[in-house]
Amino acid sequence: MFVCERNTEYLDAEYLDAISRLKVIDDDFMRIVFKDKECLTQFLEIILERPIEIIEWHVQYDINNILGRSISIDVFVKTENHYINIEVQRDYTGANPRRARFHGSLIDASTSYPKEEWKDLPHMIIIFITEEDVLGYVQ
């Protein structure tokens, strides 16, 4: 029988070092963090500066468009009066304002119903988190 002994002290140090280098902007870490409702709620309350009551949320939520481009939303949140789309983008080229517009249009198309009054469309919030200021607001 073969037994593999590992230096667990070394692995623990390596493991802790890898964890210490993670940021929420790292896709894999973001997926783990935002699966937790309390973490997601606290995050949104900090960003939006108000209390948030999450009804439903999905990490890596796909909206398919049979006529064209589909999207995979990093985090999709439903509250009583809002849909919230959170996109985490390390690469600045993916954080184009037109991408946010496109996300909003597909969310509206997939959450509205025929003959629904336009005034009844829920408010939408799109949050793009980028590593650098892609819009040039920070000097």
Side-chain angles (χ1 to χ4, degrees):
M1 179 176 181
F2 177 78
V3 177
C4 178
E5 291 187 29
R6 299 189 298 188
N7 182 344
T8 57
E9 183 177 308
Y10 170 75
L11 290 176
D12 289 342
E14 185 178 291
Y15 179 73
L16 292 174
D17 181 56
I19 289 174
S20 72
R21 287 182 274 122
L22 289 174
K23 301 175 189 176
V24 174
I25 204 157
D26 294 314
D27 199 47
D28 292 334
F29 190 49
M30 178 271 310
R31 289 179 193 193
I32 293 166
V33 169
F34 290 149
K35 281 183 182 177
D36 183 282
K37 185 178 182 179
E38 287 180 31
C39 287
L40 180 57
T41 300
Q42 184 176 13
F43 173 82
L44 287 171
E45 288 178 348
I46 290 168
I47 296 287
L48 301 174
E49 299 179 327
R50 63 176 183 229
I52 294 291
E53 183 64 40
I54 295 173
I55 295 172
E56 180 181 333
W57 81 104
H58 304 274
V59 177
Q60 297 300 306
Y61 184 77
D62 295 325
I63 298 179
N64 295 312
N65 177 7
I66 60 171
L67 299 175
R69 179 179 282 177
S70 299
I71 60 174
S72 182
I73 296 174
D74 288 337
V75 184
F76 186 61
V77 178
K78 181 180 179 183
T79 69
E80 187 175 328
N81 300 315
H82 299 83
Y83 288 112
I84 303 171
N85 169 17
I86 302 170
E87 290 301 312
V88 180
Q89 195 68 45
R90 270 203 113 141
D91 180 12
Y92 71 92
T93 59
N96 188 298
R98 289 184 182 182
R99 181 175 174 201
R101 183 183 84 183
F102 184 74
H103 276 229
S105 69
L106 281 187
I107 292 168
D108 279 342
S110 69
T111 59
S112 61
Y113 304 96
K115 299 185 182 181
E116 181 178 25
E117 295 287 327
W118 293 113
K119 65 179 178 57
D120 294 332
L121 278 177
H123 181 67
M124 186 183 326
I125 299 169
I126 299 176
I127 301 169
F128 265 73
I129 301 167
T130 58
E131 194 160 26
E132 297 178 19
D133 176 18
V134 298
L135 299 177
Y137 289 123
V138 177
Q139 303 276 329

